[in-house]
Amino acid sequence: EDAKNADSKGCGDSSKGPKSPRMESEGKVQQLTRRADFFASRARYADALPLVDQALHLEPNRPELHLGRGQCLMQLDKLEDALASFEAALRLDSQCVSAQRNKALLLAKQQRWHDAVVSLREALSLESSPELRMELARCLTEHAIQLKASGRGDLQLFHEAIQACDSYAPAFFQLGVCYSEVSDCIKAKEMYRKAVQLHPGYVEALNNLGVACRELGEWEHAIEAYGMALKVNQNCSKTRENMAISLLQLGCRHLQRKELKQAGEALKRALTFNSRNADIYFNLGVLYAEKEKWDRAKVNYELANHFDPRHANAHNNLGVIHRRLGNAEAAMKCFESALEVDSKMNLASKNLGAIYGSMGRMDDAIRLTRIAIESNRQDAEAYNNLALLLRDQCDVDACLENLDVCISLEPESRHAGSNRLMSLNYQSERKREEVFEAHRSWGSCVESSISQAFSWDRPRTSGPLRVGYVSPDFYSHSVSYFIHAALKHHDPAFVHVTCYSDVALEDEKTKQFRELVPRWRNLCGRADDEVAKMIYEDGIDILVDLTGHTGNNRLGVFARKPAPICITWIGYPHTTGLTRMDYRISDEFADPMDAPGLTTEKILYLPECFLCYTPPETAPPVVLKPAQESYGCITFGCFNNLAKVSSLTVRMWSKLLHEVPDSRLFVKSKALACPKVQEKMRAAFAAHDIQASRLDLTGLQPQTGSHLHMYSFIDVALDTAPYAGTTTTCEALYMGVPVVTLKGRGIHAQNVGSSLLSAVQLGDLVTETEEDFVKQAAACAKNVPRLAALRAGLRTRMLRSVLCDGPRHVAWLERLYAGVVSDFAKSKQVTTFNVQDSIPSSLAEVQ
């Protein structure tokens, strides 16, 4: 052997000498692993695995071969075999970091997070690296999520994940989720923000950051977060929806603050992210309604209903728009649709109740309003609405009870207070002193809560008197027939007129009035403070209230005293109760010098008549034949508001029907469209032994012409007491029908008929007692020649009388204005407040 070796060496070729079996095995293993690595580098793990197995057969105790085998198996998704290979590698070399790491990755792939964490911790004990720490943070986070899903949540694991790697964003994100779930939005926001700082493109964290900001009311920050998320993925539907919701909520906040421009910008931008969101369209409807752009509001409410047919609020608000635009039928359908979605919806119940009430469907109206109260017994407005419905059907006692509840719930409700005072005028049992004291007390409370902020020491500029008329009734309303003359016939050289209009739905009469005056101000939606400031800055000398305690009044403005002289006129038959209302215009028939109505204002007396009536141009011709000649019996009638038919009125009319046995009574009023109200009315007369068959009861007529034509069905119109008719009296007279009225000592409301009848030389129909009323009405009805003569000539007589003489009336009125301004200037010793230079000579003397 030695010789052979020597020979070999002697040949100089020692490297090619015979190899040992171990060396041959190692060479074979090396060759196999090189080929396996080649296949693995090309992801041909199925080809690599047999080669590794062959190598292991040759060298079963080499840990790196078990590691390589496990890696191939894991790539081939043979996880259990792979795990066995990694564990075999670790048995051979417990310090093998790669085996520990791959084992952990495999366990993680199997979602065996706890075992993966243990393996990673062992790997980190051998070698610390950022990659291993990041992987440990991931496994801890996933383990915590797994436990939370099984109901064993543990926040500590998330904190351990952050300790393992404080740059692992998902751990912060998941902590944010946990805080969000317990409504700790502040901590949640902090965690989401940290996640975003670590990973600026983390869409889920940006989304949740936006949600946390929304919950905190930080709409702008929410929008910023969603904007960042959309930069990463502009097509993410969830982010776009959240952005739309945040912009919607921001818009709602601006709406609540009356920041309409900003609200519009936010809501319109919201639509660019979700054009099918019904709530966005709904709030755009609210926005346009606030701006009084009714058509745009209507379209947006319709779109809200299109995208969500069960959007009850959109149905309700669309109904409000239709009603405002005069389409009661469409409004009714909308409110009904809202109630189909929510049968106890408070707003829709009230609104539909109001619609039914205006149609005379009192039973349905009251039922719906009671439903609104049942849904919210703290709803003061619902009690107010119920009260007015009850008053309309002549149940004034119940009306007052509900108004008292309303005021107890909302003591500052001035409209409810005014409604209560208005209702007191209808009750014949109340003493006039009691009614006056209620008005005075109301005025005292209002004035104690409102300071008089304006000064009148400033010099008055030269020129015509500046007179302002304040009313919500500058449309086809009863008041319009009596203010028409003052607007049409004012002397522009002496009086500059401003109308302060609170009309919600303007009509042709409104347009006509606009053209008659030099300045028109719209008050709709403006607060009393704002209106008072406007009037003061307009430099008004005399401010005239045309509403009193009737609906939608602005007595709160007059309580602020925005003009040096404040006057009430036309709209209300009693005092306002305000000491800051200087005057009330009347005449000696409505407020006799020896027994004027009780009032906090000084009474200014116009000669002849304090009212001037402008008849409607659409009035039909008078039917010349008396009703009894056409229908075979005497017919008495009244078209007044049913609330005016007091117990005194029923008693007096019943006596008359007994006095004229074959006569009938025709009563027309809105509430009488309801059968139950008719039954109640018949029962009231039955208590006085009047048979139901003698009563003809009907509801309102939709058009003025058809309403006026119905006067041809009656021979004599009967006035009410203690609240007499005004417009209805003028209408009856204009249609050739005489009216019999009962005076009331010291009660202006009862004496208006006296003023009107005296103006047309029918003073004999003004009576002092119930007996006299019955006697005069019976005599008038039986005097057929006189009835025929009145039918033929009363309209002409009326048009030629002071009652319809606009120029004459306004001349007296403006002379009255000049007098009070002169008196004010003298009382204040304001020499610059001189109006005499601008008064025509024919009006210079004040009487």
Side-chain angles (χ1 to χ4, degrees):
E1 183 70 22
D2 290 340
K4 289 179 181 178
N5 288 339
D7 289 342
S8 297
K9 290 177 181 177
C11 294
D13 192 17
S14 61
S15 62
K16 293 185 179 181
K19 297 181 179 179
S20 67
R22 179 176 179 80
M23 291 180 64
E24 289 180 2
S25 175
E26 287 180 354
K28 185 67 172 177
V29 168
Q30 192 174 32
Q31 184 181 21
L32 289 168
T33 55
R34 280 198 206 101
R35 291 177 63 196
D37 287 343
F38 172 80
F39 285 129
S41 69
R42 286 156 177 75
R44 292 170 60 182
Y45 299 106
D47 294 329
L49 183 59
L51 297 174
V52 177
D53 284 339
Q54 290 180 42
L56 273 171
H57 180 72
L58 295 171
E59 295 285 347
N61 294 321
R62 288 180 64 172
E64 67 271 19
L65 294 177
H66 287 283
L67 174 61
R69 184 174 188 272
Q71 289 173 329
C72 287
L73 288 166
M74 191 164 69
Q75 293 297 331
L76 293 169
D77 209 26
K78 297 180 179 181
L79 302 186
E80 290 300 327
D81 292 339
L83 180 61
S85 294
F86 294 139
E87 289 175 342
L90 288 169
R91 282 195 297 272
L92 293 170
D93 181 4
S94 61
Q95 305 297 309
C96 182
V97 175
S98 294
Q100 284 287 8
R101 180 175 182 177
N102 278 279
K103 177 184 176 182
L105 290 173
L106 185 148
L107 291 168
K109 193 170 183 179
Q110 291 181 313
Q111 297 186 2
R112 293 166 62 181
W113 304 111
H114 174 71
D115 295 336
V117 167
V118 171
S119 185
L120 284 167
R121 289 191 193 279
E122 290 178 0
L124 281 167
S125 69
L126 299 172
E127 177 185 300
S128 179
S129 71
E131 293 80 8
L132 284 176
R133 290 190 173 279
M134 180 73 78
E135 189 61 31
L136 177 59
R138 184 179 82 87
C139 290
L140 284 165
T141 300
E142 295 296 340
H143 183 37
I145 294 171
Q146 187 180 58
L147 290 174
K148 189 172 79 167
S150 65
R152 296 176 291 152
D154 186 358
L155 289 182
Q156 183 58 33
L157 290 174
F158 293 123
H159 288 292
E160 289 179 12
I162 292 171
Q163 289 173 357
C165 181
D166 61 4
S167 63
Y168 186 62
F172 289 99
F173 172 77
Q174 292 297 335
L175 267 177
V177 172
C178 292
Y179 287 130
S180 292
E181 288 172 347
V182 295
S183 300
D184 190 343
C185 296
I186 294 176
K187 286 187 178 179
K189 172 187 168 185
E190 181 184 345
M191 293 299 105
Y192 295 137
R193 193 175 292 282
K194 182 65 175 178
V196 170
Q197 288 172 354
L198 293 169
H199 181 13
Y202 199 160
V203 173
E204 292 83 358
L206 286 166
N207 258 321
N208 285 19
L209 175 59
V211 173
C213 290
R214 274 170 44 200
E215 292 296 325
L216 293 170
E218 300 173 359
W219 314 118
E220 291 89 347
H221 291 158
I223 291 166
E224 180 183 3
Y226 295 133
M228 293 169 64
L230 286 170
K231 286 181 180 179
V232 179
N233 182 2
Q234 64 179 340
N235 296 317
C236 177
S237 58
K238 183 177 181 181
T239 307
R240 295 181 69 84
E241 182 178 349
N242 282 335
M243 175 68 98
I245 292 171
S246 293
L247 287 164
L248 167 62
Q249 291 172 321
L250 178 62
C252 289
R253 186 181 70 179
H254 285 309
L255 271 178
Q256 290 170 349
R257 296 177 178 178
K258 304 297 183 182
E259 298 164 351
L260 302 186
K261 181 179 179 181
Q262 297 93 321
E265 291 171 353
L267 293 170
K268 289 174 184 176
R269 188 180 170 202
L271 282 179
T272 66
F273 294 98
N274 187 349
S275 61
R276 302 177 66 84
N277 186 310
D279 286 332
I280 299 174
Y281 290 109
F282 171 76
N283 282 283
L284 277 170
V286 173
L287 168 70
Y288 286 121
E290 286 284 341
K291 292 182 175 182
E292 298 183 19
K293 295 182 178 180
W294 309 119
D295 289 339
R296 291 189 181 185
K298 176 174 171 287
V299 167
N300 279 279
Y301 288 139
E302 288 171 342
L303 284 168
N305 286 142
H306 172 75
F307 289 112
D308 182 5
R310 295 186 62 77
H311 201 304
N313 284 323
H315 284 298
N316 177 77
N317 285 20
L318 180 59
V320 172
I321 296 295
H322 279 306
R323 188 180 182 194
R324 186 176 289 274
L325 295 176
N327 192 340
E329 183 177 352
M332 184 169 61
K333 290 179 180 177
C334 289
F335 298 139
E336 289 171 345
S337 295
L339 289 172
E340 286 176 8
V341 177
D342 181 359
S343 61
K344 294 186 178 180
M345 183 180 178
N346 178 275
L347 282 174
S349 295
K350 287 191 294 186
N351 288 330
L352 185 56
I355 287 281
Y356 284 159
S358 68
M359 298 167 62
R361 294 174 57 176
M362 311 309 295
D363 195 36
D364 290 332
I366 290 171
R367 175 182 56 80
L368 282 166
T369 310
R370 291 193 191 280
I371 289 174
I373 290 173
E374 288 171 7
S375 68
N376 180 8
R377 292 199 172 273
Q378 301 302 307
D379 186 350
E381 184 184 48
Y383 286 101
N384 180 75
N385 288 6
L386 179 59
L388 298 186
L389 290 168
L390 291 167
R391 189 177 77 187
D392 283 347
Q393 67 175 29
C394 201
D395 197 345
V396 181
D397 289 339
C399 161
L400 290 168
E401 289 173 6
N402 281 278
L403 286 172
D404 287 342
V405 175
C406 172
I407 294 169
S408 70
L409 292 172
E410 193 177 325
E412 300 302 315
S413 174
R414 298 224 176 92
H415 288 304
S418 286
N419 287 334
R420 182 177 181 277
L421 297 177
M422 176 81 172
S423 300
L424 295 176
N425 289 289
Y426 295 110
Q427 294 188 307
S428 55
E429 300 82 5
R430 288 191 184 269
K431 294 182 178 179
R432 72 184 191 118
E433 292 80 8
E434 181 184 354
V435 177
F436 167 71
E437 180 56 30
H439 284 75
R440 191 205 60 75
S441 176
W442 179 91
S444 177
C445 288
V446 170
E447 290 177 339
S448 67
S449 65
I450 297 176
S451 60
Q452 185 176 329
F454 302 104
S455 169
W456 305 113
D457 295 331
R458 65 184 182 182
R460 181 188 180 279
T461 58
S462 60
L465 282 177
R466 292 181 292 273
V467 177
Y469 293 105
V470 183
S471 177
D473 302 324
F474 290 126
Y475 66 102
S476 297
H477 180 277
S478 294
V479 168
S480 71
Y481 298 112
F482 298 96
I483 191 59
H484 193 147
L487 303 183
K488 181 178 181 180
H489 299 293
H490 72 275
D491 182 351
F494 175 56
V495 171
H496 178 278
V497 173
T498 301
C499 284
Y500 295 96
S501 171
D502 232 346
V503 176
L505 178 61
E506 297 187 350
D507 61 9
E508 290 302 318
K509 181 69 75 71
T510 314
K511 295 175 183 177
Q512 183 180 10
F513 285 171
R514 277 180 178 271
E515 295 172 356
L516 293 177
V517 299
R519 186 162 59 184
W520 187 277
R521 300 284 202 193
N522 187 0
L523 307 186
C524 284
R526 297 176 183 263
D528 284 350
D529 279 330
E530 183 183 356
V531 172
K533 183 180 179 183
M534 176 200 299
I535 293 169
Y536 179 76
E537 291 175 349
D538 284 344
I540 297 299
D541 299 317
I542 299 176
L543 190 65
V544 184
D545 159 57
L546 302 175
T547 315
H549 285 285
T550 59
N552 301 314
N553 67 72
R554 285 286 188 165
L555 292 180
V557 171
F558 284 84
R560 289 162 170 79
K561 193 73 171 176
I565 300 166
C566 294
I567 299 175
T568 185
W569 180 42
I570 295 178
Y572 185 65
H574 211 301
T575 180
T576 62
L578 296 172
T579 61
R580 295 172 193 169
M581 188 74 76
D582 302 291
Y583 301 101
R584 182 164 66 85
I585 295 177
S586 187
D587 61 42
E588 293 188 14
F589 297 99
D591 286 284
M593 292 285 193
D594 61 338
L598 298 174
T599 177
T600 57
E601 306 90 358
K602 295 177 183 177
I603 298 178
L604 291 174
Y605 286 91
L606 276 173
E608 302 167 329
C609 183
F610 79 102
L611 295 172
C612 183
Y613 178 67
T614 302
E617 296 177 357
T618 58
V622 175
V623 176
L624 298 179
K625 199 173 183 180
Q628 56 189 283
E629 292 188 354
S630 298
Y631 305 108
C633 66
I634 293 173
T635 302
F636 298 104
C638 179
F639 295 173
N640 273 322
N641 176 359
L642 202 62
K644 294 182 178 182
V645 184
S646 64
S647 57
L648 164 62
T649 301
V650 171
R651 181 176 68 243
M652 191 163 58
W653 290 357
S654 296
K655 290 179 180 178
L656 174 60
L657 292 174
H658 284 299
E659 180 71 17
V660 187
D662 295 329
S663 63
R664 302 181 64 79
L665 177 63
F666 180 26
V667 182
K668 181 173 72 67
S669 188
K670 174 180 66 178
L672 289 173
C674 176
K676 286 191 176 181
V677 178
Q678 290 189 12
E679 291 175 13
K680 183 180 177 182
M681 179 61 62
R682 289 191 170 94
F685 280 90
H688 296 276
D689 297 323
I690 300 299
Q691 294 178 349
S693 60
R694 297 183 67 187
L695 303 180
D696 297 317
L697 309 177
T698 188
L700 292 182
Q701 294 297 307
Q703 302 296 327
T704 301
S706 57
H707 157 70
L708 293 177
H709 177 72
M710 296 187 81
Y711 280 102
S712 66
F713 301 158
I714 62 178
D715 292 294
V716 177
L718 306 178
D719 209 350
T720 50
Y723 196 153
T726 304
T727 309
T728 50
T729 297
C730 290
E731 289 173 341
L733 296 174
Y734 195 67
M735 295 306 296
V737 177
V739 181
V740 180
T741 191
L742 175 68
K743 288 176 63 176
R745 183 171 177 79
I747 304 175
H748 173 97
Q750 193 171 334
N751 291 334
V752 172
S754 174
S755 176
L756 299 174
L757 289 169
S758 298
V760 294
Q761 292 85 47
L762 288 177
D764 63 304
L765 300 181
V766 178
T767 63
E768 301 279 350
T769 65
E770 291 182 50
E771 291 71 21
D772 190 23
F773 180 95
V774 171
K775 180 181 177 181
Q776 288 291 348
C780 185
K782 294 173 182 178
N783 191 342
V784 177
R786 187 187 185 192
L787 293 177
L790 289 172
R791 295 257 183 167
L794 185 52
R795 176 176 291 191
T796 301
R797 182 200 300 186
M798 184 176 177
L799 290 172
R800 292 175 179 174
S801 73
V802 295
L803 182 57
C804 294
D805 190 342
R808 177 186 179 93
H809 174 85
V810 176
W812 281 114
L813 178 68
E814 294 181 351
R815 183 181 297 188
L816 198 69
Y817 289 160
V820 296
V821 169
S822 178
D823 289 345
F824 176 83
K826 291 176 184 176
S827 68
K828 297 294 182 181
Q829 296 182 345
V830 183
T831 56
T832 55
F833 209 101
N834 183 5
V835 299
Q836 290 295 322
D837 292 341
S838 62
I839 302 176
S841 58
S842 60
L843 299 178
E845 182 181 355
V846 178
Q847 294 185 0

